[in-house]
Amino acid sequence: MSSFEWLHRGTSEIFPNQTKSDNPEENLEQRILQSDRPLRIKLGIDPTGTDIHLGHSIPFRKLRAFQDAGHTAVVIIGDFTAQVGDPTGKSEVRRQLTKEQVQENANTYLEQLKPILDFDTPGRLEIRYNSEWLSQLDLAKIQELLATMTVGQMLAKEGFSERYNQEKPIFLHEFLYPLMQGYDSVAIDSDVELGGTDQKFNIAVGRDLQRHFNKRPQFGLLLPILLGTDGVQKMSKSLNNYVGLQEDALSMYSKLEKTPDALLKDYFELLTNIDLDTLPDNPRESQKLLGITVTSQFHGKDAALQAKQTAESIVLKGGAGNQDSVPEYSLKDVTFPAKIFYILSASGLCKSSGEGRRQIQGGAVRLDGERVTDVNQTFDSPEDLQGKVLQVGKKKFIRLVE
């Protein structure tokens, strides 16, 4: 087993990467071996929201691997750039946030990252805010940054090119984003920058700016974009195919133990340290192992095992029978759009819509293991609920079918 397996596991691309070269400018392994100091590993985040899901956790897991190998993680909170908004992959201009909104989001982000990163070992973590240097740039320095790139190069960036061709507005301040993110690499003397595969352009800008300012260019290390629990689209809260880091243990386990078979290898590779050659042959056992392993990372082993037991008691009807023994309720007589409290009443799980509302407000209602918190949650069609388990308390549950 290579001593650099931790570096390459789950990595989509390292650039530049002349694997047969002994030149530390072309080969990251050689830079690691020949460096007389810990490398500085950059990961920037723009706290434009408050929730982190497992897809977001992938670069932070790689950052932890660098920490464990003795290097310094430099997490850059984009409190300045978040007020511009990363245009990557966006079909329209991003909403600009206030400084106060960004700071509040940043505090929430860091709290969620504590189970992943090493916050305690001296010298292993720096948390920097890019307003420290970006807010100090004068017009002359901004002009110098702008002069390092042409409009044609900017329009070659995915997202910009699509919007330009579709005649959608591109605002000049958006052109500043990759330059400001790249300047972060100059400011903190980055040796390696981590990011998703959609961040290659921005990371390459950082390399170019380091050269411009006579600094040693960083390596770019790109990581896959995680598909969501639907197995179709990338993990996203808006698509409801996500597993949030702040979710309770039962919700987290319940989602992960339903991971589609085709995604299991990727999930194990990107979200755990388990040797892939040791995975169970039975996909169902792999699903359970994934659920326990990932849930343990954020809630501890005891909570993960309790979540597994609770989930099985729901699905297996108190431990007897199998999934087919879960009573079914047909939605054919329900008029859609339908509110969740009405379905609770119509199905007999609650005696009335009022009781359904009270049970939701009390936190007793779950849909496929995830707690329902919105008493007015509405479903547009029976397809939205097909096959899902609706539960009230610990003993009352049904499977919804069309």
Side-chain angles (χ1 to χ4, degrees):
M1 185 177 295
S2 167
S3 61
F4 283 104
E5 183 182 3
W6 62 269
L7 178 65
H8 296 285
R9 176 170 174 144
T11 297
S12 294
E13 181 183 356
I14 299 173
F15 67 95
N17 190 27
Q18 302 297 323
T19 54
K20 296 182 180 180
S21 173
D22 291 332
N23 184 348
E25 303 306 312
E26 299 175 338
N27 186 310
L28 179 53
E29 291 186 11
Q30 290 301 318
R31 182 175 292 192
I32 292 172
L33 290 171
Q34 296 180 29
S35 178
D36 58 359
R37 59 172 176 81
L39 298 189
R40 296 175 61 75
I41 316 301
K42 171 193 172 188
L43 178 56
I45 55 173
D46 282 347
T48 53
T50 58
D51 296 325
I52 300 179
H53 57 59
L54 288 179
H56 298 134
S57 76
I58 292 173
F60 290 101
R61 286 183 50 79
K62 182 63 70 175
L63 193 60
R64 176 58 186 264
F66 272 100
Q67 284 184 303
D68 291 343
H71 303 287
T72 301
V74 184
V75 175
I76 297 180
I77 306 295
D79 60 331
F80 194 95
T81 47
Q83 295 177 65
V84 175
D86 186 356
T88 300
K90 299 300 175 184
S91 60
E92 56 188 25
V93 65
R94 291 284 292 264
R95 179 175 66 89
Q96 292 179 287
L97 302 179
T98 66
K99 182 178 180 180
E100 291 72 24
Q101 287 173 317
V102 172
Q103 185 60 61
E104 183 177 348
N105 291 347
N107 293 339
T108 304
Y109 265 46
L110 292 173
E111 188 64 30
Q112 293 174 73
L113 293 174
K114 287 183 177 179
I116 302 175
L117 295 178
D118 180 358
F119 279 74
D120 300 322
T121 305
R124 288 289 175 259
L125 178 64
E126 291 181 19
I127 298 173
R128 306 285 294 274
Y129 291 79
N130 63 12
S131 61
E132 175 187 337
W133 48 86
L134 293 179
S135 64
Q136 304 302 314
L137 297 181
D138 57 19
L139 185 57
K141 182 64 72 173
I142 293 173
Q143 182 176 340
E144 182 179 1
L145 288 177
L146 290 171
T148 64
M149 185 171 291
T150 68
V151 172
Q153 288 173 308
M154 279 290 186
L155 290 179
K157 175 178 169 63
E158 183 182 0
F160 283 155
S161 60
E162 293 175 4
R163 287 162 62 184
Y164 183 77
N165 292 332
Q166 295 171 11
E167 298 185 354
K168 293 183 177 180
I170 301 173
F171 294 87
L172 290 178
H173 77 277
E174 295 182 273
F175 280 176
L176 279 172
Y177 183 91
L179 291 168
M180 290 190 296
Q181 179 172 312
Y183 191 74
D184 291 346
S185 297
V186 175
I188 60 103
D189 293 315
S190 169
D191 290 295
V192 181
E193 180 170 359
L194 309 182
T197 52
D198 58 348
Q199 291 294 316
K200 186 171 184 177
F201 181 93
N202 293 343
I203 294 174
V205 171
R207 284 175 50 81
D208 291 341
L209 288 178
Q210 285 175 313
R211 288 194 195 94
H212 176 79
F213 288 100
N214 299 314
K215 296 201 172 187
R216 195 178 195 182
Q218 66 186 7
F219 284 85
L221 192 153
L222 305 180
L223 299 155
I225 305 298
L226 190 70
L227 286 181
T229 53
D230 58 358
V232 178
Q233 301 188 71
K234 74 175 184 179
M235 186 171 285
S236 168
K237 187 173 182 180
S238 63
L239 297 174
N240 198 31
N241 65 351
Y242 72 104
V243 181
L245 303 195
Q246 290 185 307
E247 293 191 39
D248 62 87
L250 179 58
S251 296
M252 184 175 285
Y253 176 85
S254 297
K255 289 182 178 182
L256 289 167
E257 62 117 9
K258 299 183 184 73
T259 302
D261 293 356
L263 293 184
L264 284 170
K265 181 178 180 296
D266 287 343
Y267 272 43
F268 273 109
E269 182 174 14
L270 297 171
L271 302 175
T272 80
N273 294 326
I274 292 177
D275 186 338
L276 302 183
D277 292 332
T278 66
L279 295 180
D281 293 329
N282 186 320
R284 184 67 189 128
E285 292 305 312
S286 289
Q287 289 173 318
K288 293 179 181 179
L289 177 61
L290 178 68
I292 290 174
T293 304
V294 176
T295 304
S296 296
Q297 294 172 14
F298 299 96
H299 296 284
K301 187 66 173 288
D302 290 344
L305 292 173
Q306 180 60 53
K308 176 178 181 291
Q309 181 179 346
T310 302
E312 288 177 347
S313 71
I314 294 171
V315 175
L316 302 180
K317 198 176 181 180
N322 52 46
Q323 289 196 31
D324 295 332
S325 70
V326 177
E328 294 183 351
Y329 173 72
S330 175
L331 297 166
K332 64 181 180 180
D333 295 328
V334 175
T335 301
F336 286 85
K339 295 186 183 296
I340 186 68
F341 63 78
Y342 174 78
I343 296 172
L344 287 168
S345 174
S347 66
L349 285 177
C350 294
K351 294 179 180 179
S352 65
S353 294
E355 183 191 347
R357 285 175 174 273
R358 290 191 294 274
Q359 293 285 8
I360 293 170
Q361 292 169 340
V365 177
R366 293 181 181 271
L367 184 63
D368 255 12
E370 183 173 359
R371 182 176 287 112
V372 177
T373 57
D374 182 3
V375 295
N376 291 310
Q377 184 174 356
T378 303
F379 301 92
D380 294 327
S381 71
E383 288 82 5
D384 296 337
L385 294 167
Q386 172 62 27
K388 294 187 176 181
V389 174
L390 184 60
Q391 173 193 356
V392 178
K394 294 184 177 181
K395 298 182 178 180
K396 297 168 65 176
F397 50 86
I398 54 171
R399 187 180 303 280
L400 300 171
V401 296
E402 292 185 59

